[in-house]
Amino acid sequence: MSQQLTPLFIADVSAFSKSLRKSLDDQPATPGQAAMLALIAKAAGYRNHQHLKAETPSQLDELALKRAMRVFDGKGKMARWPKQTKVQGLCLWPFWARLPAHRDLTEKEVNAILQEGMAFDDHVLLRRSLIDHKLAERTIDGRVYRRIEQRPTPEALALFQRLKARSAG
């Protein structure tokens, strides 16, 4: 399992250590992992560990974004299928965004939406990849397709913005 790094900036280490020491003294026993994370976050001025994580700016994968941008032409259409799986998944988000939310679609409707956003002729690959990357789902017989509602990743949001800026400019 990969670790998600949470950077912590402490402006006043002296105040932090005093607060943490006091919190540890108040504990009846050595705290576990979650309790220790909560104590550290509180000593740093956050309400709890979740608050610390929420306030931490996430680092975008600029290399993946750069590679994804190369796949799209000046009009925002996908010109080719990327080689790397990570970049493929990122490049599928604009197609996910084109699919209407909370609506059943036929295969023909999905194909039309995908073909609008691509400059090469392999909408079947994109349709299957949307399913494989858990961005859309379909019935077993393939008659009904539906977008899976979820929050786009920070990289996907950045890709949306960059594609919009490129096609506008």
Side-chain angles (χ1 to χ4, degrees):
M1 181 162 109
S2 64
Q3 279 186 321
Q4 184 179 2
L5 300 178
T6 306
L8 176 63
F9 173 77
I10 301 168
D12 185 356
V13 177
S14 178
F16 172 81
S17 64
K18 287 178 186 175
S19 176
L20 184 58
R21 189 189 67 216
K22 183 178 180 332
S23 296
L24 286 170
D25 288 343
D26 293 343
Q27 298 292 314
T30 303
Q33 169 79 10
M36 190 67 190
L37 288 171
L39 293 174
I40 291 169
K42 284 181 182 179
Y46 296 92
R47 290 190 303 269
N48 52 37
H49 184 240
Q50 288 77 19
H51 181 222
L52 167 64
K53 285 173 57 176
E55 295 291 317
T56 303
S58 64
Q59 295 291 326
L60 292 177
D61 187 344
E62 288 295 334
L63 181 59
L65 274 167
K66 185 178 176 182
R67 289 178 175 161
M69 287 299 292
R70 286 189 212 142
V71 171
F72 292 90
D73 64 16
K75 298 177 184 174
K77 290 189 173 200
M78 183 183 272
R80 63 178 177 80
W81 185 242
K83 294 177 183 175
Q84 294 179 321
T85 306
K86 183 176 187 173
V87 179
Q88 291 170 359
L90 181 55
C91 290
L92 289 170
W93 279 102
F95 293 97
W96 172 89
R98 290 172 178 254
L99 297 173
H102 309 291
R103 191 171 142 231
D104 291 342
L105 301 165
T106 64
E107 183 176 307
K108 191 175 184 177
E109 291 171 320
V110 172
N111 289 344
I113 291 168
L114 297 178
Q115 287 170 337
E116 284 176 17
M118 58 192 299
F120 66 101
D121 191 28
D122 200 352
H123 59 276
V124 176
L125 171 68
L126 289 179
R127 197 179 63 229
R128 272 189 265 119
S129 296
L130 282 166
I131 305 296
D132 293 344
H133 286 268
K134 307 279 190 252
L135 296 175
E137 59 189 358
R138 67 176 167 216
T139 56
I140 293 173
D141 61 5
R143 288 187 188 181
V144 179
Y145 288 77
R146 191 176 189 103
R147 175 174 111 167
I148 296 175
E149 297 306 318
Q150 57 194 295
R151 173 174 281 141
T153 64
E155 283 82 8
L157 294 172
L159 181 61
F160 295 157
Q161 291 174 338
R162 293 176 190 188
L163 287 173
K164 186 177 179 180
R166 179 192 281 176
S167 62

